[in-house]
Amino acid sequence: NAGMLYFDDTVMVLSAEVDQYTGRSVSYYTLDADTYELKGMGVVNDNNFKAFSMAQDPVSGTCYGSFRNEALELPFRLAYTDPLNFNALSFTTDGNLYGITFDGSFYAIDKATGDAALIASTGIVSEYSSSGAINPRNNLFYYVTCCDSGSAMYEIVPGTGAVTKVYGIANN
């Protein structure tokens, strides 16, 4: 429930838990992608930690994440710590990184510096954590909102931020 990522023949799963006595903790598990055998695990005991989104660059193989805590150390290459709290991150097939925030701001992200350049204010608002991904067949960003009512899936053109609603989710 806090993110999942495939990299270097490994599946990584993050799971967040809240306890009234100890606060929030996040467990992470790494599994062999072929056998699903447990390779490693750990716990991040930090009430400020939150994993918003993770993605892997298809060109370099580097994994990028949108996290609230800059001091996070996980067993993969963390190349971006996020002050904007991206609800979804994804790459085009040529390795360009894009992200969208909860308020619908759509950005191109410089992988080397983490600088985010606003492409468009899309007007797509998600009240809760959701997800998005770029389809490698057409390089369009697909984003699903999660709201108390009126959730939907949208298609976003990475270069311009142009938005098309492709599917409404009425009674979520």
Side-chain angles (χ1 to χ4, degrees):
N1 66 350
M4 186 169 109
L5 185 65
Y6 171 84
F7 63 98
D8 296 335
D9 297 320
T10 300
V11 175
M12 179 178 201
V13 179
L14 293 159
S15 175
E17 298 176 21
V18 178
D19 181 287
Q20 66 180 356
Y21 302 107
T22 60
R24 189 169 193 273
S25 69
V26 176
S27 302
Y28 62 87
Y29 307 89
T30 55
L31 309 167
D32 182 283
D34 294 321
T35 65
Y36 297 106
E37 290 181 35
L38 185 66
K39 292 170 68 173
M41 57 189 272
V43 176
V44 179
N45 287 312
D46 184 341
N47 286 331
N48 294 318
F49 173 79
K50 184 164 184 181
F52 291 99
S53 185
M54 294 186 288
Q56 183 181 26
D57 184 340
V59 176
S60 70
T62 302
C63 298
Y64 292 76
S66 172
F67 300 100
R68 183 178 285 161
N69 185 332
E70 292 184 21
L72 177 67
E73 292 183 26
L74 293 173
F76 67 95
R77 297 173 299 267
L78 176 62
Y80 182 72
T81 303
D82 170 22
L84 294 171
N85 301 331
F86 287 105
N87 200 15
L89 292 171
S90 195
F91 284 91
T92 57
T93 54
D94 57 356
N96 292 312
L97 178 60
Y98 293 90
I100 189 165
T101 60
F102 286 82
D103 70 359
S105 299
F106 189 70
Y107 291 88
I109 302 163
D110 184 304
K111 296 179 295 189
T113 65
D115 292 338
L118 181 66
I119 294 174
S121 296
T122 65
I124 304 169
V125 175
S126 187
E127 296 171 22
Y128 306 103
S129 294
S130 61
S131 190
I134 291 178
N135 181 342
R137 293 181 182 169
N138 61 13
N139 274 327
L140 295 173
F141 195 106
Y142 291 89
Y143 179 58
V144 176
T145 59
C146 183
C147 304
D148 287 330
S149 63
S151 296
M153 182 168 68
Y154 297 88
E155 179 183 271
I156 305 169
V157 179
T160 65
V163 175
T164 303
K165 183 177 179 178
V166 294
Y167 186 78
I169 307 168
N171 298 310
N172 56 323

